Amino acid sequence: MKKATAIILTLAFLLSLAACGGSDNEATATTSEQGSAVQAVAESTAAVTERDDDPTFLTLFRYPDSKEYKAIKKAEKIETGIGGEFNEIWKFRAEKDGVKVRLEHISWVNEVGNFQILSNAFDIETEKGKYYEFSCTVGEAIPKYRLVAEYGGLRAEYYIQYDGMGEDTKAVELIGEKYHPAEITEDSPFYALCLSHAITATDNDNDTSVKDNYAFWQTFASAVTQNYEAAGGDAFNGENLKLTEWAANAYLSALYPSLNGAYPDYPDGGEIVRTPEAYEIMPCSYGDLHSSEFYGVEDNGDGTYTVKIKVYTYPDEYEVLEADKAVIVKPLDSYDENNPFGYTVLRVEDCELPKG
């Protein structure tokens, strides 16, 4: 009964991820970030580095009843300090010297659509051919721990999660890949950030710079609201939403990368309140005042991309105004836990799109 319940919960979690878009750090153009994040087997396409022509970092043995697991006679124990009813002993063999391996304690953050790293349960460098073992809690629906291996500029991830498999399952190879952020689609959490820039630029007479505190924090509040609603939220049920400092900074680093933390003060009577524990955001849902169309993403050939958006505004019930916006964005070239969206917004420009 427990296994059936876990599978149902896992399917429900995957459906919720699909609704809010994706941002796992190893996702490809055809796989949402969060869909990739919770796959039980994180096998990747082989890549080649200058340091080694074999990108396999670790071989993971997670099933005590499997023949491969039972064949391991000796393994170095890594202390994690993790205990609980759903703990299991997992083992892995290092396929290279000097692979940096850590077990991250993670927490799913709905408002961002990604995992926040809470702490590291262990952090080691490997010896080739050596076996290691560690204790961890296996998540039944949403993983609580993630095994990460890095070497030669490549990265591999494996989410510690129940998958219903057993003794006949083969060992899993963790294979390194270069970091590639997920494709930007209309369902992506990052698209909500682009849309918030386009709407704010339209509302502020096409001035896309941070010209005052209100425009800056209006963009932030709009992005939080749109992401939350895209993930199935209900405009915060009329209540302000409290974001942890990490979640707020994740938005800000993607929306305004050039500011380096030098954010404007909160406007008096504005939509953002900073408390000692969190950011409190008043819902910034525009309802019938705005709608939009997604016109796709273009590769600019210089390491940046253009997200094209048509924004419709309704000053009154008899008038509809159109604003065509090109949001210029840049993908990250390596994983950054403080910007789980995978991209940053560089600027917003006017453009000309086909009439709707």
Side-chain angles (χ1 to χ4, degrees), residues 183-185 191 294-299 305-308 329:
E183 181 184 26
I184 301 173
T185 67
Y191 175 69
F294 175 61
Y295 275 74
V297 182
E298 294 182 0
D299 187 341
Y305 293 82
T306 297
V307 182
K308 292 189 173 181
V329 305

Side-chain angles (χ1 to χ4, degrees), residues 43-289:
E43 296 181 74
S44 307
T45 303
V48 177
T49 73
E50 295 179 357
R51 294 178 56 182
D52 201 322
D53 61 2
D54 181 2
T56 305
F57 292 168
L58 310 174
T59 302
L60 182 65
F61 309 90
R62 59 172 292 183
Y63 305 103
D65 293 331
S66 69
K67 294 179 181 179
E68 294 170 310
Y69 188 103
K70 291 178 179 179
I72 301 172
K73 302 303 181 184
K74 183 180 179 181
E76 179 178 313
K77 185 176 181 180
I78 305 173
E79 294 293 342
T80 63
I82 302 169
E85 179 182 358
F86 299 106
N87 268 31
E88 294 181 4
I89 303 296
W90 289 28
K91 302 182 181 185
F92 64 87
R93 181 179 65 239
E95 307 300 346
K96 300 180 186 298
D97 284 323
V99 178
K100 295 181 178 180
V101 183
R102 64 181 176 272
L103 184 66
E104 297 174 339
H105 183 197
I106 56 178
S107 176
W108 178 256
V109 183
N110 273 328
E111 296 81 11
V112 177
N114 212 302
F115 289 97
Q116 176 184 3
I117 301 172
L118 302 178
S119 62
N120 289 333
F122 69 76
D123 196 336
I124 67 165
E125 288 195 18
T126 61
E127 297 179 30
K128 184 175 181 179
K130 189 171 182 178
Y131 288 86
Y132 301 83
E133 68 177 38
F134 62 93
S135 174
C136 60
T137 300
V138 180
E140 289 200 60
I142 302 175
K144 296 182 178 180
Y145 293 92
R146 174 173 62 191
L147 189 66
V148 176
E150 295 177 324
Y151 177 84
L154 303 185
R155 175 184 173 91
E157 297 180 347
Y158 193 91
Y159 286 77
I160 308 297
Q161 185 182 20
Y162 175 79
D163 67 357
M165 306 301 285
E167 61 180 291
D168 295 328
T169 304
K170 299 296 183 182
V172 178
E173 291 183 340
L174 268 67
I175 299 173
E177 280 191 316
K178 289 185 179 179
Y179 174 80
H180 294 287
E183 181 184 26
I184 301 173
T185 67
E186 196 168 9
D187 295 328
S188 303
F190 185 74
Y191 175 69
L193 276 66
C194 295
L195 180 58
S196 68
H197 261 283
I199 290 176
T200 307
T202 302
D203 284 350
N204 288 276
D205 300 321
N206 294 325
D207 185 348
T208 59
S209 64
V210 184
K211 65 178 183 179
D212 56 38
N213 295 4
Y214 179 78
F216 180 95
W217 292 110
Q218 179 193 27
T219 305
F220 173 69
S222 175
V224 173
T225 301
Q226 288 161 5
N227 270 358
Y228 191 84
E229 292 181 343
D234 187 18
F236 317 134
N237 296 315
E239 298 179 359
N240 290 5
L241 177 69
K242 292 184 178 180
L243 289 185
T244 64
E245 186 172 0
W246 175 85
N249 287 341
Y251 281 103
L252 292 169
S253 65
L255 290 168
Y256 297 106
S258 62
L259 293 179
N260 296 318
Y263 309 132
D265 293 332
Y266 306 96
D268 292 337
E271 296 146 329
I272 313 295
V273 177
R274 178 72 172 98
T275 67
E277 297 81 19
Y279 288 74
E280 193 171 274
I281 298 93
M282 183 181 297
C284 195
S285 181
Y286 291 102
D288 294 334
L289 297 178

